[in-house]
Amino acid sequence: MTLNDQWREIADKERTPQENEAFWKDYFLKEKDNYAYILANNLKTIKGQLSEVSGSFNMDSVTFMGFLDGINTSLVNEVELDSLEETSIIDVEIDYEKLYFNMLDAKADWLYNLSEWDNILSEDARKDITKEFRTSRMAVSNKVGRNDPCPCGSGKKYKKCCGQ
């Protein structure tokens, strides 16, 4: 069984609501510490043997797979998680703008509100990314209203032109 399969099994394990809450609370605290460390030290790349890197982040290899799973879409080049083993050498580069965007998407306010972001992305850059995120989530209708200008470009109202 791969490390990623082991992580999925642990994450999806049947628990009581209290056990589940405790499990994820503990994981999210570790995750927050990892991101705070990465941002505080401006770690653009993470390199090394998976077991050693996970230890440097105070996680076991299986739990670190969960962290890699979460950050994978924020990397310059995604990692094939199912191929990783304890002895695998990882070399990942983090795209901070994608990371911030994905934290907004995950509704992870405990991550995108970290004070360590101040040294990585300016407040204006974070506002721009937040605006881009919100815009990307807006529903857009292509429906033409009867009193709207006709899309054919005639200058007439739709109801008096192509809508007849």
Side-chain angles (χ1 to χ4, degrees), residues 41-118:
N41 294 294
N42 199 5
L43 285 181
K44 201 101 166 103
T45 59
I46 301 172
K47 296 179 185 179
Q49 186 173 355
L50 189 131
S51 59
E52 293 172 3
V53 172
S54 62
S56 69
F57 282 98
N58 298 318
M59 291 181 150
D60 61 82
S61 296
V62 175
T63 306
F64 190 71
M65 284 301 299
F67 178 74
L68 280 177
D69 187 25
I71 199 172
N72 205 18
T73 57
S74 302
L75 301 176
V76 173
N77 297 307
E78 290 189 27
V79 176
E80 177 56 47
L81 298 175
D82 287 327
S83 67
L84 295 179
E85 299 174 358
E86 296 261 355
T87 57
S88 298
I89 302 297
I90 59 171
D91 184 359
V92 297
E93 184 178 352
I94 302 167
D95 181 331
Y96 286 129
E97 291 179 1
K98 274 168 112 176
L99 180 61
Y100 192 80
F101 186 95
N102 290 336
M103 286 176 174
L104 291 168
D105 189 32
K107 298 175 181 69
D109 60 331
W110 65 95
L111 298 176
Y112 64 76
N113 285 326
L114 286 170
S115 61
E116 287 81 1
W117 277 111
D118 295 341

